Amino acid sequence: MKRLVLTGLVLVVGLGAVLADSDAIVQRRALMKANGDATKIVVGMLKGAPFDLGAVQAALKSYGEAAAKAPALFPDDSQTGDTNALPEIWDNKADVNARFAKLAQDVAAASTGIVDSASFQAQMPGVLKNCGGCHEKYRAKKT
Amino acid sequence: MKKALLVLAGLAIIVALGAAGWFASAPRSLSAIVAQEVDAPGEAAAGRIVFFAAGCDSCHMSPGQPDPFRLGGGLELKTPFGSFYPPNISPDVKDGIGAWSADDFAGALLLGVSPRREHYYPAFPYTSYRRMTPVDVRDLFAFLRTLPAVAGRAPPHALAFPLTIRRGVGLWKRLFLGANALPEAPGRDAAWKLGRYLVEGPGHCAECHSPRNILGAIVTHRRLTGGPLPDGKGKAPDITAGGLKDWSKADIVEALASGFTPTGDSLGGPMAATVRNTAELPAAYREAIAGYLKSLTPDRGPPGD
């Protein structure tokens, strides 16, 4: 009976781990999708659409959330599946995490620094540079 | 006796084929007109724009440092044929192209032939650069000469036999390289022609954004409809009107300036380096590129129709 319970526990934990990892990919994608949706609006504003501080703050919140959660969302067994993440991520974990830390820092600075259209135009491009940096090294679009 | 005759005839055929192959694979020379045009003094300031249009830095900049103007070469380009190491094209006299003449430089870009009259492998996209105007070639040459000399040579390419025989590239060129000039395009406006020139010439977009055949040549009628990246990491998408159907012309212009797509994604992989270059171009160039791409139907003939 004891053995049965133990086996059951192992199974549940194992299954949980598997679910969590395919879950990691899903969560990663959801965070990136949210960032993209926010960025669409931000880029429009950089191009001359009317400045909207609320939308900027929402975008920064989205980036900040991604930067905080992402380092934990690349467990070793989430390398394959429905993901554009390159294996280089797992070879360079320290660099990847440092990049997320820098994003978090830039977001924090911009959150207090951006108060009007002028400070937005001055500071936002620097925050957005973080996106391309990782996509260049660590992502390969399959389609 | 009959047998000896047959052997002789066989040998004669082999020698004839060998001679034909040797002549067919010979490196070409610049025409007198082009040589004269590229020998005129170039303008470095204009050449800076050509540099970014051609994206020289993407392959030739010294790896592991951020300055696009340090052109020491040595970046590894992994391809299905082996690893290529783009050479030093800084003005260093010993290791770079500091001792080159304008004709040497034009021969490399327009014919894929080195100053020692050897063929370059088409990993160097003279397959597209050959469409560049002599004025752009000499301006680019003038600009490159203003950059810092970098010492050191790139490692030799790591290729398997028979690809190690450079002369064979001459036959490849015979098979796959047509005329250098883009065809006339009556009825097209100046912006379209500029866009076509940038995309099909210096910009060499088709080199990644096209499917290739088994010999590594672009499948002509599928140019720019997307293809696997040479290093096997992902795909370069279809950038004809079909692939860009959800993109407005302004969307393309924006992506070439900031790297952001209409969905708020930022372009990655090798396109990130490309965007650093296209961002340096005059706005009218990005507009022209976008207009030309949007005019392309997915299945068509050689560039220009």
Side-chain angles (χ1 to χ4, degrees):
Chain A
M1 182 61 196
K2 207 169 165 189
R3 182 177 288 178
L4 197 67
V5 168
L6 265 178
T7 314
L9 263 177
V10 167
L11 271 178
V12 167
V13 170
L15 195 66
V18 169
L19 281 180
D21 291 342
S22 68
D23 208 40
I25 293 176
V26 171
Q27 286 185 52
R28 249 146 56 188
R29 296 190 74 119
L31 286 173
M32 290 300 162
K33 173 79 171 56
N35 284 347
D37 291 344
T39 306
K40 208 162 34 174
I41 301 164
V42 165
V43 170
M45 274 187 253
L46 282 172
K47 293 290 290 175
F51 175 70
D52 173 355
L53 185 59
V56 174
Q57 284 167 342
L60 289 169
K61 186 162 169 281
S62 174
Y63 304 156
E65 199 182 322
K69 288 184 179 170
L73 291 178
F74 292 90
D76 282 347
D77 43 7
S78 67
Q79 303 193 25
T80 52
D82 188 16
T83 177
N84 290 319
L86 279 172
E88 277 83 345
I89 291 177
W90 287 269
D91 301 336
N92 301 281
K93 264 297 184 56
D95 179 55
V96 172
N97 290 341
R99 285 168 185 266
F100 282 125
K102 180 180 175 285
L103 173 62
Q105 228 172 46
D106 290 358
V107 165
S111 299
T112 52
I114 295 177
V115 291
D116 55 13
S117 179
S119 50
F120 165 72
Q121 292 286 343
Q123 294 178 37
M124 204 62 182
V127 178
L128 294 179
K129 275 220 168 84
N130 289 291
C131 310
C134 273
H135 289 178
E136 179 170 15
K137 273 188 85 174
Y138 298 120
R139 181 186 68 171
K141 296 272 263 187
K142 288 172 187 158
T143 49
Chain B
M1 183 63 198
K2 206 172 165 191
K3 204 172 168 187
L5 268 178
L6 269 178
V7 169
L8 263 182
L11 275 176
I13 288 171
I14 288 169
V15 168
L17 280 177
W22 184 253
F23 283 112
S25 63
R28 288 165 56 206
S29 299
L30 291 178
S31 75
I33 301 168
V34 171
Q36 195 183 356
E37 279 185 276
V38 296
D39 282 343
E43 287 176 32
R48 185 180 184 279
I49 295 172
V50 181
F51 177 89
F52 286 116
C56 314
D57 51 332
S58 292
C59 287
H60 289 281
M61 68 192 266
S62 304
Q65 58 87 42
D67 182 358
F69 298 141
R70 281 189 67 81
L71 301 170
L75 178 77
E76 181 184 11
L77 299 182
K78 288 186 183 144
T79 78
F81 301 99
S83 283
F84 292 94
Y85 296 90
N88 184 332
I89 58 163
S90 80
D92 191 82
V93 174
K94 192 169 124 289
D95 298 327
I97 63 170
W100 285 27
S101 69
D103 284 358
D104 289 340
F105 186 66
L109 257 60
L110 304 178
L111 304 172
V113 174
S114 79
R116 291 167 54 198
R117 301 203 50 72
E118 284 182 328
H119 293 295
Y120 287 118
Y121 291 102
F124 168 37
Y126 56 81
T127 39
S128 293
Y129 290 163
R130 68 200 167 98
R131 303 194 175 98
M132 289 170 68
T133 63
V135 175
D136 276 0
V137 171
R138 74 186 185 216
D139 288 348
L140 177 58
F141 189 53
F143 176 68
L144 290 179
R145 299 192 83 110
T146 67
L147 301 180
V150 180
R153 284 176 177 255
H157 303 318
L159 305 171
F161 183 83
L163 298 176
T164 42
I165 306 172
R166 279 184 184 265
R167 187 82 183 195
V169 175
L171 297 177
W172 188 93
K173 287 179 178 174
R174 286 252 169 197
L175 281 173
F176 300 117
L177 288 193
N180 270 21
L182 287 162
E184 293 289 322
R188 295 290 193 171
D189 61 16
W192 186 88
K193 285 179 191 167
L194 173 63
R196 178 180 68 162
Y197 173 71
L198 291 167
V199 167
E200 308 283 3
H204 66 284
C205 310
E207 304 293 338
C208 284
H209 288 276
S210 307
R212 290 177 181 270
N213 65 23
I214 192 168
L215 292 172
I218 286 169
V219 181
T220 309
H221 69 285
R222 302 284 298 154
R223 282 178 77 79
L224 299 167
T225 60
L229 288 173
D231 62 6
K233 292 178 192 165
K235 192 173 178 288
D238 181 348
I239 52 169
T240 66
L244 295 171
K245 64 181 189 313
D246 296 332
W247 294 54
S248 68
K249 195 180 145 187
D251 289 336
I252 302 170
V253 171
E254 177 62 32
L256 293 173
S258 72
F260 283 100
T261 75
T263 60
D265 187 10
S266 80
L267 296 171
M271 197 60 199
T274 305
V275 169
R276 282 195 287 275
N277 292 326
T278 53
E280 297 287 332
L281 296 177
Y285 279 31
R286 289 188 290 270
E287 300 262 347
I289 292 168
Y292 175 67
L293 294 178
K294 285 294 271 184
S295 82
L296 296 174
T297 51
D299 198 354
R300 62 199 187 288
D305 353 312

